[in-house]
Amino acid sequence: MKRRNFVQNLLLAPVAPAVAAAATQTPSPQPAIHQKPATEPKTPVRERPWGPHDVPKLDLTGVDLTGQPAPHYFTAAQFATLRKLGALFVPPLKSNPGALEAQAPEFLDFLIGASPDDRQNLYRFGLDSLDSQSRDQFQKPFCDLDAQQADRILRPLLVVRPWAEDFPSDPLQKFIAQVHEDLRTATMNSREWAAASEKSGRHFTRGFRGSGYYWFPIDPISQG
Amino acid sequence: MPVKTYDVLIVGSGHSGGMAANILTSKGISCLMLNAGPEADYEKDRALKHAYELPYRGFDKPGRLPHVFQANEFNANQWVDEKEVPYTCPSDAPYNWVRVRLLGGRSLFWARQSFRLSNLEFKAAEIDGEGENWPISLEDLAPYYSRVEKIFRVAGRKEGWPQFPDGDFVEINYPPDTDSIKRFTQIATKQGVGVSKWRSALGKDGLASSINLLLPDALATGKLDIVENAIVREISVDKNTGLANGAHFVDRHSGREMHVKTRVVVLAAGCLESTRLLLNSKIGNSSGVMGHYLVDQMYGVSVVASVPEARDGKAPPGLMGGNAFIPRFRNLSKKDKRNFIKGYCVGISSGGNANANFFPLYGEELQAKLDSYANSCVSGSIFGERVARYENHVRIDSEVKDRWGIPVLHIEARDTDNERNLCKDAADTIEEWFHDAGWEIICKTDRVNPPGYSIHEVGTCRMGDDPKKSVLNKWCQSHDVKNIFVVDGASFVTCGWQNPTMTILSLSMRASEYLAEQMRTNAV
Ligand SMILES: Cc1cc2nc3c(=O)[nH]c(=O)nc-3n(C[C@H](O)[C@H](O)[C@H](O)COP(=O)(O)OP(=O)(O)OC[C@H]3O[C@@H](n4cnc5c(N)ncnc54)[C@H](O)[C@@H]3O)c2cc1C
C-alpha cells in the first residue's frame, strides 16, 4: 500500500521535468500490440485489521550502557601491546577521549576476532613483532616501555599514505598504518567521543566518521 | 488468470532502463520492466544514526564488501552482496565491480558529474593513431545530450572549447573564485591549460535518478509495469526466426522460475550484467568481440599541498575554499607528442583539512600538525582515460554460480605502460602547478586504483558499423539479433575521461526513439 502511495505521490508531483516537455514533437505511433487488461483480485478492505491493537512501543536501553566488553580474541600479551598502542597513538587531547577511554582496544579485539584471516594474521604478526622487538632492544615487553623507548621502535615504521587505502608492502609498516587507522576510527566513532562532542557543542561530521544516514538491510533474502 | 502481454521487455531500472521506459511508453509502446532488486523506501529503509549505534562502530561487517572501496557501514546495504552475486578475477589482477540492484540502480547514489564526450573521444582513432572510432560523432548525439541535460538540469559554465563541449545548462551563479583558486588558475592558464568549473546534474532535491525523473512519467502513461525482485537469467530465442521472444527470470526471494514473452528485449542491466546475460544466453556474439574491450577511468592519482598563509587558523577571508576543473588538456592534437595517448581531467579543491594518514606522526604531535594544517589544504586528483583493449575482457566462469544458480562473470583487466605514463605525467604536472603557486607539497601519488574503481565500466558490447568487429550497430541494436537492444554503457567504444552517464542516457534516448520508429513500421 505504502509503495503505491509513494508512486502516486511521484505522479502527482507537479515538478517532474517530463521528457515529453523536452522531447521534439513527433506523432505517437500506434502501439504494435494492444494490451489485455490483467485482472488482479483486490485485497479485502477491513475497517479494523485482525490482530492486537495499540501495541505499546517500549523504551529499551542500548547494550553498551549495561555491560562491559569481554575481550577474548587476543592473548593477554597481544592485548597489552594493543592497549599500549592505543595510549600512544590516540591519547586524550583537548576535551576528547583517547583510545583507552573509548575502549577502542576492546572493540578491536571483537572486530579483528570477527575478521578474515589476512586481517587477523596482520594483527597477530604486528603485535607479536613489536613485543619481541621490545624484548630484544629493551629487555621488557612493549607495554612496559616508556614513551621515548616506544618511539624508537615506532617512528621508523610510520609512512606517508596519500589515500587511506594505500598501505605499505612491508608487513610491520602495514600493521602500524592499519592499527593506527583502526584505533583512530574506533575512538572517533565511539559513544564517548560523541558525548564529548555534544558537551563541547561541536558538530558531527557526516559520513564514515561521526554520524550519517544508515541504510537498513532492504528487503533482505531469508538466509534459510 | 490471463496475464498481460507487452511489446518490450526492459531489463534494469537505472538511468538507461528508465530512459528507455520513458521514451518507449511516450510513444504508446507497452513495456515490462524487470529489476533484479527491491524498491527502497527512503522513509523506512534509512535513518540518521551515530556510528556508535551501528553493530560494527562504522567499520562494517569484516570481509563483506572487499572490492567496494566506497562502502562503509552506513551505506553497506546499498551495494550488491559479493557473496550473493560473486565474480572471479585472476589473483594478480583485482577488479572492483561496484553494483546496486535496488530499483533505480546506481542512479540513486551517483555523484551527478555530467559531461558530454567530444569528438576527441568519438573519433579517437584519428588522433591516437590506433583503436577504433565510434560509428557516431558528437553531432549525432548532441540533440539528445541537450534533451537529457534539460531533464537532469545540468549546471555548468560554457567555455566554447572543443574538448569540453558545452551543453544546455541551467544557469547558476558560481560564487567568485577565492584567492587560492585564482592563483592556481593564473598558473595553469599561463601554460595554455583551460580552467573551468565542474558540471553537475541538479536533478530535483539533489536526486537525479530514474525513479524521480524518468519512471513517474512512464508509469503515468499506463503503458509501463515494473516488477521488483525479478532476476533475468536468460533471453529466450525463437528457433525458427532466431529472434528473441522473451526472457526467463527468477523470483529473488523464492527462486521461482518464470518466463515472459515479448516482441523486443531492451537490455539496461548495467554494462557488465547485460553482457553476462547475453553471454549466458549464448546469442549475439558472431563477432567474438562480446565481453572484450572492458574499460573505465583511472582514479587514484592525487597531490595535496598546503597554503602557508592559511596555516594555524590564519587564513584571511577569501583565500581558501572553492574548486576548479580542468578538462583534458593533453594530446589535443597530433602535434602534442607524449609517452602516452589519451588524456585526463583534473579536479582542484581548496580549503580542506589534512588527513591523519598524510603525516608519519602520531599522538599529540599528529594532532598539533592536523590543527595547524586545518583548512589550509589544496588537493588535485584526476580521472584518466584508459585505452580500450581486446585483452581486457569478461567471460562466463561456469564453475561459479550466484545464489540463483546463474553462472558468474570472470573479469580480467590490466593496465599497461600507457596508463602508468599518463598517471605519472598527471602527478608531476599537478605537483609542478602547486609548487609554482608557492604551496608546500604534503603528499603525492601516481598510484592507480584497480580497474572498476571509477564505477564507470563500459565497452563490452561495443558498437560499430562492421558486424565482424562489433556487437551492436550505431543504434545500440544487436547486429545478430535485430530485436535486442543494449542501452547501457556496454555500447561504448572508448571511455573518455568523462563520467559516462550523460552519454549513456543520450544513447538510450536515441536508441529508444529509433526502436519506436522501427516498431511502428514493423521493421522490428
Ligand atoms: C557512488 C557512485 C557515484 C557515481 N558518480 C557518477 C558521476 O558523478 N557521474 C557519472 O556520470 N556517473 C557516475 N556514476 C556511475 C553512474 O551511476 C552509472 O554510469 C549509471 O547510473 C549506470 O546506469 P545503468 O542504467 O547503465 O546501470 P545501473 O544503474 O547499474 O542499473 C542496472 C539495473 O539493472 C538491474 N539488473 C542487473 N542485472 C539484472 C538482471 N539479471 N535482471 C534484472 N535486472 C537486473 C539492477 O537491479 C539495476 O537496477 C556513479 C556511480 C556510483 C555508484
Side-chain angles (χ1 to χ4, degrees):
Chain A
M1 262 312 165
K2 187 125 200 228
R3 182 155 289 160
R4 289 248 164 276
N5 290 342
F6 173 66
V7 170
Q8 267 165 11
N9 286 340
L10 282 177
L11 294 181
L12 290 173
V15 272
V19 167
T24 48
Q25 294 298 310
T26 41
S28 296
Q30 288 304 305
I33 299 173
H34 290 284
Q35 192 143 318
K36 280 190 226 151
T39 49
E40 190 161 12
K42 293 264 175 298
T43 313
V45 181
R46 293 186 157 262
E47 287 280 295
R48 237 170 120 75
W50 288 296
H53 300 288
D54 305 322
V55 180
K57 182 93 185 88
L58 303 179
D59 226 356
L60 305 179
T61 301
V63 63
D64 286 345
L65 293 176
T66 58
Q68 285 297 318
H72 62 273
Y73 173 70
F74 291 121
T75 63
Q78 287 168 341
F79 191 64
T81 304
L82 182 61
R83 279 182 58 84
K84 181 76 179 178
L85 286 172
L88 292 164
F89 282 168
V90 197
L93 291 170
K94 301 181 202 161
S95 55
N96 288 324
L100 299 191
E101 293 72 28
Q103 302 199 325
E106 286 78 1
F107 177 77
L108 291 182
D109 178 272
F110 152 69
L111 186 80
I112 304 305
S115 291
D117 289 351
D118 52 350
R119 186 71 158 263
Q120 294 188 337
N121 293 339
L122 180 71
Y123 260 77
R124 285 203 305 259
F125 161 78
L127 294 169
D128 291 346
S129 301
L130 287 181
D131 207 35
S132 65
Q133 203 172 320
S134 168
R135 286 172 198 276
D136 286 350
Q137 220 168 318
F138 301 105
Q139 291 72 52
K140 53 182 168 181
F142 185 81
C143 63
D144 290 343
L145 298 182
D146 65 31
Q148 267 105 24
Q149 290 168 327
D151 190 65
R152 281 174 58 193
I153 294 181
L154 293 175
R155 196 153 296 254
L157 298 172
L158 301 168
V159 293
V160 173
R161 291 184 302 132
W163 291 102
E165 55 262 41
D166 282 337
F167 285 101
S169 50
D170 175 78
L172 196 51
Q173 287 185 337
K174 181 176 177 186
F175 164 69
I176 292 296
Q178 183 75 66
V179 72
H180 191 184
E181 170 101 15
D182 290 349
L183 283 163
R184 283 180 62 83
T185 303
T187 306
M188 295 170 78
N189 281 356
S190 67
R191 181 184 290 274
E192 291 77 7
W193 187 282
S197 299
E198 205 167 82
K199 217 165 132 194
S200 63
R202 269 177 289 127
H203 285 296
F204 279 112
T205 46
R206 288 273 295 276
F208 175 45
R209 294 231 163 91
S211 65
Y213 272 110
Y214 173 72
W215 285 86
F216 296 100
I218 303 161
D219 193 16
I221 312 174
S222 61
Q223 293 301 309
Chain B
M1 191 170 74
V3 291
K4 285 188 181 179
T5 56
Y6 301 92
D7 299 335
V8 177
L9 166 65
I10 301 171
V11 183
S13 62
H15 282 119
S16 58
M19 180 58 82
N22 190 304
I23 295 292
L24 294 170
T25 56
S26 76
K27 308 271 181 199
I29 293 169
S30 69
C31 298
L32 171 66
M33 176 177 279
L34 297 181
N35 191 68
E39 184 184 15
D41 181 328
Y42 273 66
E43 274 167 41
K44 204 168 98 295
D45 293 331
R46 59 171 210 165
L48 204 53
K49 294 227 178 228
H50 289 300
Y52 68 77
E53 294 176 282
L54 311 182
Y56 296 91
R57 242 190 231 196
F59 282 85
D60 196 31
K61 190 171 176 179
R64 181 179 176 191
L65 292 161
H67 297 102
V68 183
F69 289 2
Q70 294 81 358
N72 57 53
E73 197 170 2
F74 286 101
N75 68 21
N77 290 310
Q78 294 168 7
W79 313 108
V80 169
D81 184 330
E82 294 186 29
K83 292 205 175 69
E84 239 165 58
V85 194
Y87 59 98
T88 59
C89 299
S91 55
D92 66 334
Y95 188 88
N96 288 8
W97 189 12
V98 180
R99 299 160 287 171
V100 175
R101 282 195 164 188
L102 299 172
L103 193 74
R106 288 174 279 178
S107 75
L108 302 176
F109 307 119
W110 72 309
R112 298 183 276 125
Q113 298 305 322
S114 298
F115 304 111
R116 294 182 177 200
L117 295 182
S118 76
N119 276 334
L120 277 179
E121 287 78 37
F122 286 118
K123 302 297 163 198
E126 281 158 28
I127 188 140
D128 294 342
E130 63 173 75
E132 296 280 332
N133 288 330
W134 290 59
I136 57 172
S137 64
L138 174 62
E139 291 66 35
D140 293 313
L141 209 54
Y144 301 93
Y145 273 131
S146 288
R147 288 162 58 190
V148 169
E149 283 154 355
K150 282 186 194 142
I151 298 162
F152 279 74
R153 302 185 56 239
V154 175
R157 192 169 85 186
K158 293 194 178 181
E159 303 290 1
W161 302 331
Q163 77 275 23
F164 193 41
D166 293 331
D168 277 82
F169 298 143
V170 175
E171 303 229 340
I172 56 165
N173 289 325
Y174 288 98
D177 280 342
T178 58
D179 290 342
S180 54
I181 294 294
K182 278 191 201 142
R183 174 118 192 79
F184 172 80
T185 306
Q186 258 174 7
I187 284 159
T189 314
K190 240 193 237 160
Q191 296 182 3
V193 172
V195 180
S196 183
K197 291 285 168 198
W198 291 94
R199 293 174 174 176
S200 176
L202 304 177
K204 186 179 166 311
D205 301 329
L207 185 66
S209 167
S210 58
I211 67 159
N212 68 334
L213 302 183
L214 300 171
L215 291 172
D217 285 350
L219 283 169
T221 64
K223 293 285 178 188
L224 174 67
D225 283 349
I226 303 175
V227 179
E228 61 180 353
N229 293 318
I231 302 164
V232 178
R233 69 152 68 243
E234 194 180 321
I235 299 163
S236 58
V237 175
D238 181 319
K239 285 204 182 72
N240 297 321
T241 62
L243 291 173
N245 63 9
H248 298 280
F249 64 101
V250 49
D251 178 77
R252 176 171 158 268
H253 281 284
S254 63
R256 184 160 75 126
E257 296 279 345
M258 310 276 284
H259 181 263
V260 61
K261 260 183 110 115
T262 57
R263 191 175 147 196
V264 176
V265 175
V266 170
L267 296 182
C271 167
L272 290 182
E273 284 292 3
S274 290
T275 306
R276 178 182 172 207
L277 189 46
L278 284 166
L279 288 169
N280 271 329
S281 307
K282 299 186 176 64
I283 48 173
N285 193 19
S286 65
S287 65
V289 166
M290 189 183 289
H292 293 269
Y293 299 103
L294 169 63
V295 66
D296 77 317
Q297 280 118 24
M298 292 177 280
Y299 284 24
V301 173
S302 154
V303 181
V304 182
S306 164
V307 179
E309 312 90 275
R311 259 180 245 143
D312 301 312
K314 296 198 185 109
L319 175 61
M320 300 305 294
N323 60 58
F325 181 79
I326 299 165
R328 172 172 166 180
F329 58 97
R330 289 291 189 231
N331 296 320
L332 295 186
S333 79
K334 282 187 186 158
K335 278 186 256 153
D336 192 359
K337 289 263 172 273
R338 312 236 153 223
N339 62 352
F340 58 91
I341 57 170
K342 311 229 175 255
Y344 54 88
C345 68
V346 181
I348 300 288
S349 167
S350 162
N353 294 336
N355 293 340
N357 44 280
F358 292 167
F359 304 111
L361 301 171
Y362 61 87
E364 212 163 328
E365 218 183 333
L366 172 62
Q367 192 56 51
K369 193 87 171 170
L370 293 176
D371 291 346
S372 166
Y373 279 62
N375 189 39
S376 79
C377 294
V378 179
S379 64
S381 52
I382 73 156
F383 307 164
E385 178 168 3
R386 285 193 167 93
V387 179
R389 285 197 187 78
Y390 181 84
E391 305 78 77
N392 290 343
H393 73 282
V394 301
R395 59 177 188 267
I396 296 299
D397 183 339
S398 44
E399 302 284 293
V400 183
K401 306 224 163 55
D402 70 12
R403 190 187 174 99
W404 297 272
I406 306 172
V408 307
L409 280 184
H410 178 79
I411 308 180
E412 232 174 291
R414 288 184 174 83
D415 285 336
T416 68
D417 283 345
N418 198 76
E419 283 74 32
R420 289 184 276 274
N421 293 341
L422 182 150
C423 288
K424 184 166 182 331
D425 179 78
D428 290 347
T429 304
I430 302 170
E431 182 186 31
E432 190 189 314
W433 288 334
F434 287 179
H435 182 267
D436 289 353
W439 301 336
E440 177 200 334
I441 306 295
I442 304 179
C443 61
K444 168 191 173 189
T445 179
D446 60 9
R447 186 191 67 84
V448 182
N449 286 308
Y453 179 97
S454 70
I455 329 185
H456 295 162
E457 68 282 2
V458 294
T460 44
C461 297
R462 58 170 27 192
M463 59 162 71
D465 290 329
D466 183 352
K468 292 202 188 73
K469 289 160 82 178
S470 54
V471 177
L472 307 171
N473 67 17
K474 65 180 175 183
W475 303 105
C476 303
Q477 179 182 28
S478 162
H479 284 302
D480 296 354
V481 188
K482 295 288 180 212
N483 65 345
I484 293 180
F485 287 70
V486 184
V487 297
D488 49 39
S491 67
F492 281 41
V493 180
T494 60
C495 72
W497 53 266
Q498 297 93 330
N499 312 40
T501 305
M502 284 295 115
T503 305
I504 292 174
L505 283 160
S506 305
L507 288 171
S508 177
M509 180 186 259
R510 180 171 177 271
S512 303
E513 288 193 344
Y514 173 81
L515 167 60
E517 184 56 20
Q518 296 289 298
M519 290 176 79
R520 193 183 65 82
T521 58
N522 274 325
V524 164

